[in-house]
Amino acid sequence: MTDAHAQPATATADMAALYRRITWRLIPFLCLCYLAAYLDRINVGLARLQMSSDLQLSDAAFGLGAGLFFVGYILFEVPSNLILQQVGARVWIARIMISWGLLSAATLLVQTPTQFYWVRFLLGVAEAGFLPGVLFYLTRWYPSWRRGRIIALFMLGLPLSSLIGGPLSGWIMTHFDRLHGLRGWQWMFLLEGLPSVVLGVMTLWLLPDGVMQAKWLNGEEKRQITQELAADQQQATGSKSRLRDGLLNIRVLMLGGIDFSILLSAYAIGFWLPTLIKNAGVSDIGLIGWLTAIPGLAAVLAMLLIGYSSDRLRERRWHIIVPFIVAAAALAASTFFSGSVAVTVLLFAVAQAMVIGAVPVFFSLPATFLQGTAAAAGFALACSLANIAGLVSNSIMGLALDLTGSSSGALWFFAACLLLSCLLVIALPAKLVNR
């Protein structure tokens, strides 16, 4: 009797140990790649404090340039993810990283607003497909009930980009300014772009295309993982696998709307927090860089706690709704304290923690009702629709600051969108997504 009960417990412990080994092999490297990707996307927010005067960029012009990144990103998101499924994650993710790293570094050559617009658009084209591609890739390794924590660990790269990138970017811009005739923002783009190229090359050696290509797994381990993934798919009653099921699916459109609200707030904070801190009374770029790290630290902790809680309880919807409500309240409250540096940073830290903390839970949803090609297309389409928020968020913030001298109207709009998205979340069937 004891042996009969011990065997399942031993098998469960063995699987947990196997997945820990897989996680150590894959997730730290993928997290580092995402950190580099997001840093190369948002470091322009701190660069703006120098480059706007050099390039004669108004707030609205900067907002347009920052937003054009997302036009290229949106146009090429779905095609990029479909190509990844055909050629394999290793080659395609390497291509994405190398091209975006080179383009990010090339931003140092920009001399006019028009050139700034073009390089941001092309950077979006280059980076398209990375996030949904990795999320789809993870579905080939982890069943749905393990994915919340894994996606949280991978997506730590997002808040870490602010936690590490803010102080690093501020330090580069301060200490390298005028070195060899280049401005601090030019050095920042160069020094923060090249690591992405190196990581892209490393991808070709470190990232297997799937379970069966992993040389560090033996045959029995590959069989166990494949068996668990097959069992997970059998539980996904009513899930779809055809291309059209990913592209013509009302639930995918709902996910796009939810993610749209997430990114409205996330990009407002990522791109504009340095400006808001400066407007609150801080002029030192190095100090601004350190202050922008505080919301990043809060987001790291929130991602881990919310992702763990969601997996432990096997509950997804309220782990998104509650953070959305708290984030909306923090964004709205920040408009009353725009002259206080401490309160501004605190409220944006709360907003960032809640919005980013819900992201891993959100990205565990598509694979609960999509499989195969439909999952690849659905991930990409939801991300494409959502990333329209990058253009909208930056344009609205830039126009609000130009026309009124205040970001209050934009922040109230972003808060309202988070609250409205709670209705979309609650409309997702609990039996479908709570796995």
Side-chain angles (χ1 to χ4, degrees):
M1 180 70 70
T2 302
D3 291 342
H5 284 281
Q7 186 173 358
T10 302
T12 300
D14 288 345
M15 285 301 292
L18 175 57
Y19 271 105
R20 279 196 297 272
R21 185 152 62 88
I22 293 171
T23 298
W24 276 109
R25 282 278 188 169
L26 299 180
I27 302 305
F29 179 71
L30 289 172
C31 177
L32 185 60
C33 292
Y34 192 41
L35 187 158
Y38 203 75
L39 178 59
D40 286 342
R41 184 187 301 189
I42 67 166
N43 58 8
V44 70
L46 200 59
R48 176 194 172 278
L49 302 181
Q50 284 183 350
M51 72 186 301
S52 285
S53 59
D54 292 351
L55 303 183
Q56 301 300 305
L57 286 173
S58 66
D59 286 329
F62 171 78
L64 174 61
L68 282 172
F69 167 94
F70 299 97
V71 176
Y73 192 91
I74 292 162
L75 290 176
F76 289 86
E77 186 89 316
V78 173
S80 179
N81 222 31
L82 293 176
I83 293 173
L84 178 143
Q85 191 187 25
Q86 295 300 315
V87 305
R90 180 176 61 89
V91 171
W92 196 243
I93 290 176
R95 192 286 304 164
I96 290 172
M97 295 184 61
I98 292 170
S99 59
W100 98 51
L102 292 173
L103 280 164
S104 182
T107 308
L108 73 90
L109 303 175
V110 166
Q111 296 181 345
T112 67
T114 301
Q115 292 173 356
F116 175 62
Y117 299 154
W118 272 109
V119 77
R120 293 300 296 180
F121 172 79
L122 292 175
L123 185 63
V125 172
E127 193 183 322
F130 175 76
L131 176 58
V134 172
L135 293 172
F136 174 69
Y137 176 70
L138 293 177
T139 67
R140 299 294 185 91
W141 289 88
Y142 297 92
S144 60
W145 58 83
R146 298 184 188 271
R147 247 175 250 148
R149 280 171 287 185
I150 295 304
I151 293 175
L153 290 171
F154 157 62
M155 297 195 77
L156 281 177
L158 195 160
L160 284 174
S161 66
S162 298
L163 180 61
I164 297 171
L168 176 63
S169 298
W171 180 80
I172 292 173
M173 290 175 63
T174 301
H175 289 82
F176 283 68
D177 195 29
R178 310 293 182 182
L179 181 65
H180 299 301
L182 296 179
R183 293 281 276 142
W185 62 268
Q186 293 175 303
W187 278 109
M188 184 200 70
F189 283 119
L190 175 64
L191 296 177
E192 293 181 357
L194 293 181
S196 295
V197 179
V198 175
L199 288 170
V201 174
M202 291 173 63
T203 298
L204 296 172
W205 280 272
L206 296 179
L207 198 67
D209 280 319
V211 174
M212 302 309 294
Q213 290 75 36
K215 297 179 180 178
W216 34 269
L217 293 174
N218 62 39
E220 176 60 19
E221 290 169 336
K222 292 176 181 179
R223 186 196 65 78
Q224 290 175 330
I225 298 168
T226 303
Q227 195 173 54
E228 185 158 285
L229 291 172
D232 184 40
Q233 289 188 0
Q234 290 176 359
Q235 290 184 27
T237 55
S239 64
K240 308 294 184 179
S241 60
R242 296 174 300 173
L243 175 63
R244 61 172 294 182
D245 295 322
L247 297 178
L248 303 175
N249 191 314
I250 187 62
R251 288 175 181 147
V252 171
L253 298 180
M254 291 167 66
L255 293 179
I258 296 165
D259 197 20
F260 179 87
S261 295
I262 291 174
L263 294 183
L264 275 178
S265 299
Y267 288 138
I269 298 170
F271 283 99
W272 293 94
L273 185 57
T275 297
L276 298 179
I277 292 174
K278 181 181 180 181
N279 291 346
V282 180
S283 58
D284 181 79
I285 292 177
L287 178 56
I288 291 174
W290 280 104
L291 290 173
T292 59
I294 296 174
L297 175 61
V300 167
L301 299 175
M303 285 184 86
L304 292 173
L305 292 173
I306 295 174
Y308 173 78
S309 175
S310 179
D311 268 6
R312 184 175 63 84
L313 298 174
R314 290 205 179 187
E315 198 289 322
R316 309 300 182 189
R317 298 189 305 171
W318 289 101
H319 281 81
I320 297 174
I321 292 172
V322 173
F324 275 16
I325 293 173
V326 176
L331 288 175
S334 71
T335 63
F336 298 104
F337 301 96
S338 57
S340 170
V341 175
V343 179
T344 294
V345 172
L346 174 63
L347 289 173
F348 276 100
V350 173
Q352 182 87 321
M354 293 297 99
V355 169
I356 301 303
V359 165
V361 182
F362 167 79
F363 276 117
S364 69
L365 299 180
T368 60
F369 58 87
L370 297 173
Q371 299 176 11
T373 301
F379 272 124
L381 180 59
C383 288
S384 294
L385 295 172
N387 272 288
I388 297 172
L391 179 60
V392 174
S393 178
N394 283 295
S395 297
I396 288 178
M397 284 289 286
L399 286 172
L401 288 167
D402 260 1
L403 296 177
T404 68
S406 168
S407 60
S408 296
L411 294 174
W412 275 98
F413 173 71
F414 302 152
C417 287
L418 285 172
L419 295 178
L420 288 173
S421 286
C422 292
L423 301 178
L424 292 176
V425 177
I426 205 68
L428 294 171
K431 290 184 178 180
L432 182 68
V433 299
N434 287 341
R435 292 196 289 117

